Amino acid sequence: MSDDPVVVGINRTQDASIAVLRGRSGMYSLQKERLTRRKHHWGRRGDVRDRYVPALPALRDPVDLVVECYSSDAEVEHLPDYRDELARTVPFRDGVRVVTVSHHLAHLYSAFHPSPFERAAVMVVDAQGSRVKDVTEPFPSADAGPELLEVASFYTCEPGQGAGQPGRGAGQPARVECVGKHLWHGDWAEPAGLGCFYYLLTRTVFPGGEGNEGKVMGLAPYGRPDALDLPELPVDEYRVTIPDAWLDVFAQADRFRYVPDDAGCFDDCADLAAAGQRAFETALLRVAGWLCAQTGARDLCFAGGTALNCSANGRLLREGGFDNVFIPPSPHDGGTALGCAMYGMVECLGAPSDFRWTNDFLGPDPDGRAVAEAVRGICDDLIVDRPPDLVERIVDLLDSGRVVGLHHGRSESGPRALGNRSIIADARHVGMRDFINSRVKGREWFRPLAPIVLAEAAGAIFDVDRPAPFMQYAADVRAHYRPVLPAITHVDGTARLQTVEPANTPFLHALLSAFAARTGCPVLLNTSLNGPGDPLVETPQDALACLRKTDLHALAMPPYLIRKRVEPPVPVR
């Protein structure tokens, strides 16, 4: 048992999550949805006792501090019950110590402090965060009404004194100053802010629940952004308002609700998605321009749910006015637990933290015994093999048109599958995208699928000039390669790529390298390992369930390769 300080961060709201930061750099992070198999599962009392402690052994060691964050939902009203649960469940080292930090500040600490920057501007944009009465940092509108909600916050961060310690160069806190906070009264009859706008846009087209923003982003390139003659979103410095013309359209649910196989409906939905995506991007760039001018910063960190919009992120990178843009792998609410842990370590304990987002594999340590036990329990419907060269055997399958799941190592903490909980396939197959969308993922035909590419080959195939290890922004596929890689090239000629290097993804890099040596193609298709409507898989049992209930051809759980005795059809080349 180490004497290093240990801080636990907990997000009690949407995309509930927990993080454990041990010493200077040891980090674990896990979302509740991975354990309950319910996407975007909200925090509830009993989560630490019933969900997190059994799944995350790091929680069983003595803890110095717990830092929680809530949003503006009703869970904050149960604060005494949550505190009682912590006191009875967490093994505190020197008495119960619990701190609460507000929502947008938790986002900031998840983005800037683990970023590669010494100084930066920070932009946090989501639908709604904490109420003013619960905000835990000074901000320019501190005299605002206590019930107002933060919908966007803007900061400047630079080396300076923090918690009585020297500057960030020594792994210590930076000086954080809020330079603007967009507040909203919470009346949905008069919504405001970019997060509210995209939420309403999504709910109009896809009303079936949370997490459909990616569908709007994927649908937008099929539409005509000028067809509905909708206005831009007015921007006053960092404040974004929503004109009545947009609210009128959002009220026309019968016209703009997506209905599968309805061609006329599709055109209207695509046109609205295109108009909304363009309006969102234009306003976001104007807000970023204001922040750039206000702070004079060369680098930007971007967090909040809207930072998952890869199309907008691509434009922000190219046109936002900053030299570099960093977006954490978990920019949404699921990443705020990590932000809480960082805040507790550097601001409350005054201890150094060298944790940086070099990769997103922050789940529990892999358990070889759990894999072996899951494989021993396999029934006759599956065939288990231990090939002498697992990588070459997977390449055989991929080159023959099969679709393979990967389950190994620590799981990704964010929503993107980056190689440890992935489905991979040959991006050269014309029919591969339709096969995976319909027969594996069970989702809409227009949804794009992402490429992984060897980092040294990325610039030749995609219009990129820097690494993209977290699959967070869209870039153009160079014209020559669009017909060569049809399964990952979206209708607008873009792709949401992930560059692969051996340092952080050695198995994936070896696999891509072997595939390139065999075929001459350094690109594969990559999507998340999950079935229809499910979150990313976490355990070996989850992965086997996904193999069984979808048309995946095989599942690699090193050192094992599991195939179906009755094989699904192979996509048409």
Side-chain angles (χ1 to χ4, degrees), residues 362-388:
L362 305 180
D365 291 320
D367 185 349
R369 292 172 301 177
V371 173
E373 182 179 343
V375 169
R376 281 198 301 270
I378 284 177
C379 300
D380 291 341
D381 59 329
L382 300 176
I383 302 169
V384 179
D385 188 19
R386 291 188 65 167

Short mmCIF file of all heavy atoms in Angstrom, two decimals, residues 362-388:
data_model
loop_
_atom_site.label_atom_id
_atom_site.label_comp_id
_atom_site.label_asym_id
_atom_site.label_seq_id
_atom_site.Cartn_x
_atom_site.Cartn_y
_atom_site.Cartn_z
N LEU A 362 -8.27 4.27 -19.31
CA LEU A 362 -8.26 4.56 -17.87
C LEU A 362 -9.17 3.63 -17.07
O LEU A 362 -9.36 3.83 -15.88
CB LEU A 362 -8.69 6.02 -17.63
CG LEU A 362 -7.89 7.09 -18.36
CD1 LEU A 362 -8.43 8.47 -18.00
CD2 LEU A 362 -6.41 7.00 -18.03
N GLY A 363 -9.73 2.61 -17.72
CA GLY A 363 -10.60 1.67 -17.02
C GLY A 363 -9.82 0.79 -16.05
O GLY A 363 -8.60 0.94 -15.88
N PRO A 364 -10.50 -0.14 -15.39
CA PRO A 364 -9.83 -1.04 -14.43
C PRO A 364 -8.69 -1.81 -15.10
O PRO A 364 -8.71 -2.07 -16.31
CB PRO A 364 -10.95 -1.98 -13.99
CG PRO A 364 -12.21 -1.24 -14.26
CD PRO A 364 -11.95 -0.40 -15.47
N ASP A 365 -7.69 -2.17 -14.32
CA ASP A 365 -6.59 -2.97 -14.86
C ASP A 365 -7.14 -4.29 -15.42
O ASP A 365 -8.07 -4.89 -14.84
CB ASP A 365 -5.58 -3.27 -13.76
CG ASP A 365 -4.81 -2.03 -13.33
OD1 ASP A 365 -4.45 -1.22 -14.20
OD2 ASP A 365 -4.59 -1.87 -12.11
N PRO A 366 -6.59 -4.76 -16.54
CA PRO A 366 -7.09 -6.01 -17.13
C PRO A 366 -6.87 -7.19 -16.20
O PRO A 366 -5.88 -7.25 -15.47
CB PRO A 366 -6.28 -6.15 -18.42
CG PRO A 366 -5.07 -5.30 -18.21
CD PRO A 366 -5.49 -4.17 -17.32
N ASP A 367 -7.81 -8.10 -16.24
CA ASP A 367 -7.77 -9.28 -15.38
C ASP A 367 -7.73 -10.52 -16.28
O ASP A 367 -8.76 -10.93 -16.83
CB ASP A 367 -8.99 -9.30 -14.47
CG ASP A 367 -8.96 -10.44 -13.46
OD1 ASP A 367 -8.11 -11.33 -13.60
OD2 ASP A 367 -9.81 -10.44 -12.54
N GLY A 368 -6.54 -11.08 -16.43
CA GLY A 368 -6.41 -12.26 -17.28
C GLY A 368 -7.25 -13.43 -16.80
O GLY A 368 -7.73 -14.23 -17.60
N ARG A 369 -7.46 -13.51 -15.50
CA ARG A 369 -8.28 -14.60 -14.96
C ARG A 369 -9.73 -14.46 -15.41
O ARG A 369 -10.40 -15.46 -15.69
CB ARG A 369 -8.20 -14.61 -13.45
CG ARG A 369 -6.83 -14.99 -12.89
CD ARG A 369 -6.76 -14.77 -11.40
NE ARG A 369 -7.03 -13.38 -11.04
CZ ARG A 369 -7.09 -12.93 -9.79
NH1 ARG A 369 -6.93 -13.77 -8.78
NH2 ARG A 369 -7.33 -11.65 -9.55
N ALA A 370 -10.22 -13.22 -15.47
CA ALA A 370 -11.60 -13.00 -15.92
C ALA A 370 -11.77 -13.41 -17.38
O ALA A 370 -12.79 -13.99 -17.76
CB ALA A 370 -11.99 -11.54 -15.72
N VAL A 371 -10.76 -13.11 -18.21
CA VAL A 371 -10.82 -13.52 -19.62
C VAL A 371 -10.81 -15.04 -19.72
O VAL A 371 -11.62 -15.64 -20.44
CB VAL A 371 -9.64 -12.91 -20.41
CG1 VAL A 371 -9.60 -13.47 -21.83
CG2 VAL A 371 -9.75 -11.39 -20.44
N ALA A 372 -9.90 -15.68 -19.00
CA ALA A 372 -9.81 -17.14 -19.05
C ALA A 372 -11.09 -17.79 -18.56
O ALA A 372 -11.58 -18.78 -19.13
CB ALA A 372 -8.62 -17.62 -18.23
N GLU A 373 -11.68 -17.23 -17.50
CA GLU A 373 -12.93 -17.78 -16.97
C GLU A 373 -14.07 -17.63 -17.97
O GLU A 373 -14.87 -18.55 -18.16
CB GLU A 373 -13.28 -17.07 -15.67
CG GLU A 373 -14.54 -17.60 -15.00
CD GLU A 373 -14.83 -16.89 -13.69
OE1 GLU A 373 -13.92 -16.24 -13.14
OE2 GLU A 373 -15.98 -16.99 -13.23
N ALA A 374 -14.14 -16.46 -18.63
CA ALA A 374 -15.19 -16.24 -19.63
C ALA A 374 -15.04 -17.21 -20.79
O ALA A 374 -16.03 -17.76 -21.30
CB ALA A 374 -15.14 -14.79 -20.12
N VAL A 375 -13.81 -17.46 -21.21
CA VAL A 375 -13.57 -18.37 -22.32
C VAL A 375 -13.91 -19.80 -21.93
O VAL A 375 -14.48 -20.57 -22.73
CB VAL A 375 -12.10 -18.25 -22.79
CG1 VAL A 375 -11.75 -19.37 -23.76
CG2 VAL A 375 -11.87 -16.89 -23.45
N ARG A 376 -13.60 -20.19 -20.70
CA ARG A 376 -13.94 -21.55 -20.25
C ARG A 376 -15.44 -21.80 -20.26
O ARG A 376 -15.89 -22.93 -20.43
CB ARG A 376 -13.39 -21.79 -18.84
CG ARG A 376 -11.90 -22.10 -18.79
CD ARG A 376 -11.52 -22.73 -17.46
NE ARG A 376 -11.84 -21.85 -16.34
CZ ARG A 376 -11.00 -20.95 -15.84
NH1 ARG A 376 -9.79 -20.82 -16.38
NH2 ARG A 376 -11.35 -20.19 -14.82
N GLY A 377 -16.22 -20.74 -20.06
CA GLY A 377 -17.66 -20.89 -20.01
C GLY A 377 -18.36 -20.83 -21.35
O GLY A 377 -19.59 -20.86 -21.42
N ILE A 378 -17.60 -20.75 -22.44
CA ILE A 378 -18.20 -20.63 -23.77
C ILE A 378 -18.90 -21.92 -24.17
O ILE A 378 -18.39 -23.03 -23.96
CB ILE A 378 -17.12 -20.24 -24.80
CG1 ILE A 378 -16.78 -18.76 -24.65
CG2 ILE A 378 -17.56 -20.55 -26.22
CD1 ILE A 378 -15.68 -18.28 -25.57
N CYS A 379 -20.07 -21.77 -24.78
CA CYS A 379 -20.86 -22.93 -25.22
C CYS A 379 -20.45 -23.36 -26.63
O CYS A 379 -19.57 -22.76 -27.25
CB CYS A 379 -22.34 -22.58 -25.18
SG CYS A 379 -22.94 -22.12 -23.53
N ASP A 380 -21.14 -24.37 -27.14
CA ASP A 380 -20.77 -24.97 -28.42
C ASP A 380 -21.05 -24.07 -29.61
O ASP A 380 -20.60 -24.38 -30.72
CB ASP A 380 -21.52 -26.29 -28.62
CG ASP A 380 -21.04 -27.37 -27.65
OD1 ASP A 380 -19.92 -27.20 -27.11
OD2 ASP A 380 -21.78 -28.34 -27.44
N ASP A 381 -21.75 -22.96 -29.42
CA ASP A 381 -22.03 -22.09 -30.56
C ASP A 381 -20.81 -21.29 -30.99
O ASP A 381 -20.79 -20.71 -32.09
CB ASP A 381 -23.18 -21.12 -30.23
CG ASP A 381 -22.88 -20.24 -29.03
OD1 ASP A 381 -22.16 -20.69 -28.13
OD2 ASP A 381 -23.38 -19.10 -29.00
N LEU A 382 -19.78 -21.27 -30.15
CA LEU A 382 -18.57 -20.52 -30.46
C LEU A 382 -17.36 -21.44 -30.46
O LEU A 382 -17.32 -22.46 -29.75
CB LEU A 382 -18.35 -19.40 -29.43
CG LEU A 382 -19.45 -18.35 -29.33
CD1 LEU A 382 -19.14 -17.37 -28.21
CD2 LEU A 382 -19.64 -17.61 -30.65
N ILE A 383 -16.37 -21.08 -31.27
CA ILE A 383 -15.12 -21.84 -31.37
C ILE A 383 -13.99 -20.98 -30.81
O ILE A 383 -13.81 -19.84 -31.23
CB ILE A 383 -14.82 -22.21 -32.84
CG1 ILE A 383 -15.96 -23.01 -33.44
CG2 ILE A 383 -13.50 -22.96 -32.95
CD1 ILE A 383 -15.85 -23.18 -34.95
N VAL A 384 -13.25 -21.51 -29.86
CA VAL A 384 -12.15 -20.79 -29.23
C VAL A 384 -10.83 -21.31 -29.77
O VAL A 384 -10.59 -22.52 -29.81
CB VAL A 384 -12.18 -20.95 -27.69
CG1 VAL A 384 -11.02 -20.21 -27.05
CG2 VAL A 384 -13.51 -20.45 -27.14
N ASP A 385 -9.95 -20.38 -30.16
CA ASP A 385 -8.64 -20.76 -30.67
C ASP A 385 -7.59 -19.88 -30.00
O ASP A 385 -7.89 -18.77 -29.53
CB ASP A 385 -8.61 -20.54 -32.19
CG ASP A 385 -7.35 -21.10 -32.83
OD1 ASP A 385 -6.67 -21.94 -32.21
OD2 ASP A 385 -7.02 -20.67 -33.96
N ARG A 386 -6.35 -20.40 -29.91
CA ARG A 386 -5.21 -19.61 -29.45
C ARG A 386 -4.16 -19.65 -30.55
O ARG A 386 -3.20 -20.43 -30.49
CB ARG A 386 -4.64 -20.16 -28.14
CG ARG A 386 -5.54 -19.98 -26.95
CD ARG A 386 -4.85 -20.36 -25.65
NE ARG A 386 -3.72 -19.48 -25.33
CZ ARG A 386 -3.11 -19.45 -24.14
NH1 ARG A 386 -3.53 -20.24 -23.16
NH2 ARG A 386 -2.10 -18.65 -23.93
N PRO A 387 -4.31 -18.81 -31.58
CA PRO A 387 -3.38 -18.87 -32.72
C PRO A 387 -1.97 -18.45 -32.30
O PRO A 387 -1.80 -17.57 -31.44
CB PRO A 387 -3.98 -17.87 -33.71
CG PRO A 387 -4.85 -16.98 -32.91
CD PRO A 387 -5.36 -17.80 -31.76
N PRO A 388 -0.95 -19.06 -32.89
CA PRO A 388 0.43 -18.70 -32.53
C PRO A 388 0.77 -17.26 -32.88
O PRO A 388 1.62 -16.65 -32.23
CB PRO A 388 1.28 -19.69 -33.34
CG PRO A 388 0.37 -20.20 -34.41
CD PRO A 388 -1.01 -20.16 -33.86
#
